Amino acid sequence: MNTIIRNQQARIIKSLKPNKVVMIFGARRVGKTVLMSQIAEQFDGKKLIMNGEDYDTLALLENRSISNYRNLLEGVELLIIDEAQHIPEIGAKLKLMVDEIKGVRIMVSGSSSFDLFNKSGEPLVGRSVPFHLTPFSQTEISQTENLLQTKQNLEARLIYGSYPDVVLMNSNEERKEYLKNIVNSYLLKDILMVDGLKNASKMSELLQLIALQIGSEVSYDELGKQLGMSKNTVEKYLDLLSKTFVIFRLGAFSRNPRKEITKAGKWYFYDVGIRNALIGAFNSLPLRQDVGHLWENYLISERLKKNLNENSDKDIYFWRTYTKQEIDLIETAGDKISAFEIKWGDKNTKVPSTFAEHYPKAKFRVINQSNYLEFV
């Protein structure tokens, strides 16, 4: 398979300006290192590539002084630091470099926005440009497959997801083992490291409960009761999971709070393969009871990727009334409102009457297997 060029690559290259820091966030194994290597190959000037997990890198950057960094970066036009969140006081160190070393461009990566923003965010206000890298989007994968192959591979996308290594694998058994390894070796390890958490089993149980509730409104009180923890702890854990790019929250859309749900939330996975690995659900689609929810998660995550990759200012929500009329996805851009109902089958669905009444200018579409590629 040919190399897949990430949709954000051109924007990242354009953002590599003298005395600025480009920060690339994303979960482990989504391709941050490969992307930075591809960008480095295209850069003609002198570059220095470092890794925050390497002891030599830590030693070289330990002395936070102008003279040390001037010696280290003499003649360097591009500094690249992978896994930068492992470097103590990384924010203050990067600030010193971009403030004092004329002409240097810096690109760093991190597997947790919580961690890297905490360690680099505040000192770099006005000096940094953040990017969020996700697993492959379908538009990125389409660089290497035709329309027939895309349709043939849809079931694999819904079961095994779109992590770069998974997409490039030929065997479903290999994909399954890879995803299990991601969940056990990387995902929980990264989450627990972020906030010094020690209760891996509770975090794993919470993720499994969320995996079983995709497409449904989540009650923090109910989750707390099931897990034997407080509502506040559940919220804290979910916040950490979102900041390590495992799951994301869809809030409720409302401009008429008397009739519409306003405070509820739904949680989805950035990658359905990770979701399936958490609950050991790798059986084929005809044997599954959760195809509708899986399809909903897949399309909403693909739409999120699309908006991220296009640097869109659109916001996404779900919509529901107290009388249980609902729409899967609402997308807003300024005053424009678009509503999408997601269906695995080809059943036609009309716009809910209450929504049509309150938002007469909103566009409404049903997204199914016949038109989803236009949507993503």
Side-chain angles (χ1 to χ4, degrees), residues 10 22 24-25 62 81 86 101 117-118 127 161 185-186 206 222 229 237 247 254 269 351 363 366:
V22 166
I24 303 174
F25 301 113
E62 184 177 8
I81 309 176
H86 294 289
I101 301 171
F117 264 131
N118 254 13
R127 300 171 176 86
S185 301
Y186 292 111
L206 174 59
E222 187 59 37
M229 62 174 65
Y237 278 19
I247 56 176
S254 176
F269 284 77
V351 58
K363 295 179 180 178
V366 176

Side-chain angles (χ1 to χ4, degrees), residues 257-321:
R258 286 183 300 171
K259 293 188 177 182
E260 298 166 341
I261 299 291
T262 58
K263 294 183 179 178
K266 295 183 180 183
W267 290 87
Y268 294 92
F269 284 77
Y270 279 103
D271 186 81
V272 289
I274 293 295
R275 180 264 180 183
N276 290 331
L278 280 160
I279 56 175
F282 291 111
N283 43 326
S284 63
L285 297 186
L287 301 175
R288 301 180 75 117
Q289 301 296 315
D290 61 351
V291 176
H293 293 310
L294 209 53
W295 180 236
E296 183 179 324
N297 191 144
Y298 172 72
L299 287 187
I300 290 174
S301 65
E302 283 295 314
R303 191 69 174 189
L304 178 65
K305 292 175 193 176
K306 176 182 173 69
N307 291 341
L308 282 169
N309 289 337
E310 294 177 356
N311 197 27
S312 165
D313 59 355
K314 295 173 182 174
D315 294 312
I316 57 175
Y317 311 87
F318 73 96
W319 176 86
R320 190 167 80 82
T321 67

